[in-house]
Amino acid sequence: MTNPLIKTEFPLSAKYDPDWMLDNQMGPNAVWLMEWLAEGLALRPGLRVLDLGCGRAMTSIFMAREFGVQVWAADLWISPDFNRVRADAAGVGALVYPLRAEAHALPFPESFFDVIVSVDAYQYFGTDVLYLGYLTRFLKPGGQIGMVVPGLTQGFSEVPEHLAQPQSNGKVFWEDECWSFKTSDWWREHWSLNRGVTDLLVDTLPDGWLHWHDFERAVEASGKALFPSDAEALAVDRGAYIGFVRAVARRTDWMAENLYSPDVGVRCGVDG
């Protein structure tokens, strides 16, 4: 019987122990999503990468093992000590630097990172129109920023019935925090407003709903679920509304030259 966590769409992820993915999951399979995101990034040995909202550091470990990058694995809720143990066990303790950090108070020098990534976390803080400008301050000019988030394949003003009604397990898919789910068009416009980034790519994961559904079923069957499964709602939706959005861009010199000074802060075109 084929293991549902081994997918041809994610050949690098297929090398990883399915039980390791299940033991460390905190939502949709972050290793699959990181592999998809990495396709749009120029990762190579020696680069400094910030993994923002890394959870249990699966994405950090994946990047260190597959690309030889140095990863600062930042999360607010998961202990750095626990992530250190996981990185050491995976053989990349010398490349992964776990720390506790809040997304609006990052403890790094400006222009420190070559790449900044966020998987299944950016929607919680990145819908703020000011946030991308803040985050890219920590990115070198020319460096890349990329994120993957749960999103919408089409927008709506009223929640579709199958997402608002309880599933057979009693779980309702659509909770208030789901209003942070946006379409690819929304993210494209949102990031396009920032002159500090260029070379913008925004798209959706083919069959994203199916990958999410399959992972939900695998977690449910393993008995390792942290929350009741959303697989039933995803099976009804079949990608009509729910999927994953990827955004990748490159930092320009515009912010450093025109917008920000450590002495005066953000000018926003207003003198005085």
Side-chain angles (χ1 to χ4, degrees):
M1 181 177 179
T2 303
N3 190 308
L5 298 187
I6 307 299
K7 286 180 172 272
T8 57
E9 296 93 335
F10 308 108
L12 297 179
S13 302
K15 301 184 297 183
Y16 288 74
D17 181 3
D19 286 332
W20 179 77
M21 294 183 185
L22 293 168
D23 289 338
N24 294 297
Q25 55 83 27
M26 296 179 67
N29 194 325
V31 183
W32 292 346
L33 299 179
M34 186 65 242
E35 181 170 349
W36 180 47
L37 178 57
E39 293 174 2
L41 301 171
L43 297 175
R44 62 182 186 274
L47 294 185
R48 292 176 178 172
V49 179
L50 171 61
D51 188 0
L52 185 57
C54 69
R56 292 174 175 167
M58 288 198 296
T59 48
S60 302
I61 290 167
F62 176 87
M63 285 188 288
R65 289 184 63 178
E66 299 302 323
F67 304 103
V69 296
Q70 304 174 72
V71 188
W72 277 253
D75 198 83
L76 179 61
W77 306 112
I78 304 301
S79 166
D81 293 335
F82 292 157
N83 281 343
R84 165 57 57 203
V85 170
R86 277 187 279 275
D88 288 343
V92 291
L95 291 175
V96 176
Y97 313 118
L99 71 153
R100 193 184 301 275
E102 202 281 324
H104 298 87
L106 296 175
F108 306 111
E110 292 191 23
S111 303
F112 184 74
F113 293 104
D114 300 288
V115 180
I116 296 175
V117 300
S118 183
V119 170
D120 195 19
Y122 194 84
Q123 72 273 19
Y124 295 121
F125 41 80
T127 57
D128 181 346
V129 70
L130 299 178
Y131 190 74
L132 183 60
Y134 166 74
L135 184 58
T136 51
R137 284 166 42 191
F138 303 102
L139 190 62
K140 295 177 182 178
Q144 288 184 290
I145 183 169
M147 64 85 172
V148 174
V149 291
L152 300 178
T153 56
Q154 62 176 313
F156 53 77
S157 56
E158 184 175 342
V159 181
E161 183 177 355
H162 65 281
L163 300 178
Q165 296 301 314
Q167 303 169 95
S168 60
N169 62 8
K171 172 75 163 55
V172 174
F173 180 93
W174 194 268
E175 301 174 340
D176 286 348
E177 67 180 27
C178 293
W179 287 111
S180 66
F181 293 6
K182 307 295 184 181
T183 65
S184 58
D185 286 343
W186 189 95
W187 282 110
R188 185 178 296 105
E189 180 179 4
H190 185 58
W191 279 31
S192 294
L193 294 174
N194 191 302
R195 285 178 283 182
V197 296
T198 189
D199 298 337
L200 178 60
L201 163 71
V202 183
D203 58 1
T204 55
L205 177 63
D207 292 327
W209 73 270
L210 180 60
H211 299 313
W212 191 345
H213 168 273
D214 290 350
F215 190 65
E216 289 280 314
R217 286 298 190 204
V219 173
E220 188 177 25
S222 74
K224 298 177 180 180
L226 301 175
F227 309 101
S229 174
D230 283 315
E232 186 176 308
L234 291 165
V236 175
D237 185 76
R238 298 187 64 83
Y241 294 99
I242 302 300
F244 292 101
V245 176
R246 171 176 65 177
V248 177
R250 189 176 299 277
R251 181 185 163 175
T252 68
D253 289 329
W254 185 87
M255 180 181 294
E257 296 173 353
N258 298 281
L259 186 66
Y260 183 79
S261 161
D263 296 323
V264 300
V266 178
R267 291 182 57 216
C268 296
V270 179
D271 293 327

